[in-house]
Amino acid sequence: MPRKLRQLRSELRRGRWSIDRQSGTSHQIWKHPLVPDREVNLAGHDGDDAKHYQERDVREALRRSREVERRRQQP
């Protein structure tokens, strides 16, 4: 069963991603301060089911931001 977009947005917030800009009423572009070359576009309302590519994009973005943060913490 697909997750709701509200869950994906919550995961992005916990991963220190924030809304960079919003297009219309349902498109949000998310960015992370340490990953300037990566954006996540989530289209839809909170109660909508997430598409498989949206779940994949969020999972990959969170993996990438964790990797960058981990590298910054190493001496």
Side-chain angles (χ1 to χ4, degrees):
M1 177 173 232
R3 294 184 294 164
K4 300 292 182 184
L5 285 174
R6 143 184 343 101
Q7 293 170 296
L8 298 183
R9 290 183 175 117
S10 177
E11 287 179 19
L12 286 170
R13 277 188 212 94
R14 282 194 307 267
R16 296 185 47 217
W17 289 73
S18 61
I19 298 172
D20 182 53
R21 60 190 180 277
Q22 190 158 345
S23 172
T25 60
S26 66
H27 282 75
Q28 294 177 336
I29 309 299
W30 292 74
K31 291 196 91 147
H32 191 279
L34 301 177
V35 190
D37 61 331
R38 178 79 172 152
E39 293 182 341
V40 177
N41 182 352
L42 289 181
H45 298 284
D46 279 348
D48 294 346
D49 288 343
K51 308 285 188 217
H52 70 281
Y53 61 86
Q54 291 172 317
E55 292 195 49
R56 180 199 63 218
D57 289 351
V58 168
R59 185 174 47 250
E60 174 61 23
L62 290 170
R63 184 197 63 76
R64 182 117 179 249
S65 62
R66 282 191 302 267
E67 181 180 295
V68 169
E69 288 179 356
R70 194 171 25 252
R71 269 192 258 138
R72 284 191 59 178
Q73 292 175 354
Q74 292 177 352

